[in-house]
Amino acid sequence: MPLQVELVSPERTLFSGEADMVRARTVGGGDIAFLPGHAPFIGALAAWTVDITLTGGGHELAAVHGGFVEVGHDRVKILSDLAELASTIDVERARRAQERAEAAIRLGEDVEAEAALARANARLTATGQTVG
């Protein structure tokens, strides 16, 4: 029996469908994968990617910028403050944001610049770009 997966942001549902596996990164917990029959789980999401292995083959990749994942009864619900499917990400814009954030960090602008860098890296990773 496949997983029923929903990836939701405040604006809309980005993905709803069946999957064989979902991988995500949690705050303080690292990477985690969910398969059918997984124990109930709730966790805070880090700014990184979510990889949904579709039933029947293929993947849906998304950059998520915080939020929560809830798992139970073969359902995975991802609620994110901001999420973007890889197919909708402007790679050049993400690359420029990464460069600006890295420059700000070098100048000592820590917290906000580090969050911006994490978002840019998540976008680039979701699109298959090398994160420098």
Side-chain angles (χ1 to χ4, degrees):
M1 172 177 247
L3 297 167
Q4 297 299 315
V5 181
E6 275 192 277
L7 171 58
V8 180
S9 73
E11 296 85 34
R12 63 188 173 104
T13 298
L14 286 97
F15 176 84
S16 181
E18 294 184 343
D20 293 332
M21 181 173 66
V22 176
R23 288 185 313 171
R25 182 168 290 175
T26 60
V27 174
D31 293 347
I32 188 166
F34 305 106
L35 298 167
H38 196 284
F41 178 86
I42 295 176
L45 291 172
W48 197 242
T49 60
V50 169
D51 182 354
I52 303 168
T53 303
L54 302 172
T55 300
H59 290 266
E60 188 69 64
L61 288 168
V64 296
H65 310 293
F68 296 91
V69 60
E70 178 184 14
V71 179
H73 306 290
D74 290 331
R75 293 179 133 351
V76 178
K77 190 157 198 166
I78 300 159
L79 306 169
S80 181
D81 301 330
L82 175 61
E84 303 163 278
L85 294 178
S87 59
T88 67
I89 294 171
D90 180 335
V91 173
E92 288 307 312
R93 183 174 173 223
R95 192 69 73 198
R96 288 190 305 272
Q98 179 190 42
E99 291 167 1
R100 282 191 308 273
E102 288 171 343
I105 289 169
R106 284 192 297 275
L107 293 172
E109 300 172 19
D110 292 336
V111 176
E112 203 168 305
E114 287 177 11
L117 181 59
R119 289 189 302 271
N121 286 341
R123 287 180 178 114
L124 292 169
T125 299
T127 62
Q129 301 296 307
T130 303
V131 176

